[in-house]
Amino acid sequence: MRLNLPDALRKGVGLSLVGAALVVIPAAPIKAAQPDPSVVEQMRNEAAGDVAVTTSPATGKVGFISATEDLAPSERSGATRSGAQAKAGDYVDKYARAFGTTAAQLGNPVTTATPAGHTVDFTQSYQGVPVFGSKLRAQVDTDGDLVSVSG
C-alpha cells in the first residue's frame, strides 16, 4: 500500500489549521438579558393583590404574570366572553413590549370558555407569518378579573 504523502500531509495541515482557529476564536460570554424594570414595575403597580412575575433569563421578557386579584382592575369587567376578550386585549396591547412583541404583531384573539372563566389566546405574526411558539394566553376568571398572562 502506497501513501500519497502530499495529499495526506495537505489534509492533516488543513485540519490542524481549522482546529487551531477554533482554539483561537474567543467565546463571548453569554449574559442574561435584563427585564425592563419600568414596565414590570408599572404592571405590578396597576394590579390588585399579590403579583408574581417570571422573566426569561435569556430574553429578559416577561414569560408569566399573575395576580391574586386582578392584573387590570381599572379596566372593564371580563365576566362575559366579549368582556374577557376586550379586557385581555387591552392589557396585552398596553404591555405587549414586556412580552417581547408589539400590539400590531398580535392577531385576532381566540376566546374559549372554561369552567374557571375564559382563556384568551393571542398569536404573534411577523410580516403576516405566524411566529412559531409565540402564543400569549390570558386567563380571565368567572368574576371578570384578569388573573394571569403567559407567553
Side-chain angles (χ1 to χ4, degrees):
M1 181 161 138
R2 192 166 182 206
L3 292 175
N4 186 345
L5 229 40
D7 282 343
L9 189 57
R10 192 170 7 129
K11 287 179 184 174
V13 170
L15 289 174
S16 295
L17 290 175
V18 170
L22 291 175
V23 172
V24 172
I25 298 172
I30 298 173
K31 292 172 62 176
Q34 297 300 312
D36 180 352
S38 61
V39 74
V40 172
E41 196 59 33
Q42 185 180 356
M43 294 166 86
R44 284 183 185 278
N45 290 339
E46 181 179 337
D50 293 330
V51 177
V53 179
T54 303
T55 56
S56 166
T59 65
K61 301 300 180 185
V62 174
F64 179 79
I65 185 167
S66 67
T68 56
E69 294 179 35
D70 194 351
L71 289 170
S74 63
E75 301 297 322
R76 67 187 81 173
S77 171
T80 65
R81 179 185 187 94
S82 62
Q85 186 167 318
K87 184 169 189 163
D90 290 347
Y91 188 83
V92 168
D93 284 352
K94 184 174 184 179
Y95 294 116
R97 73 182 188 277
F99 294 96
T101 187
T102 65
Q105 291 178 344
L106 298 173
N108 294 326
V110 175
T111 304
T112 308
T114 69
H118 292 90
T119 299
V120 184
D121 290 321
F122 301 85
T123 302
Q124 181 184 8
S125 63
Y126 180 73
Q127 295 182 350
V129 178
V131 177
F132 180 76
S134 65
K135 184 179 288 188
L136 279 181
R137 176 168 279 174
Q139 303 292 332
V140 181
D141 69 12
T142 54
D143 293 331
D145 296 334
L146 178 62
V147 292
S148 70
V149 179
S150 62

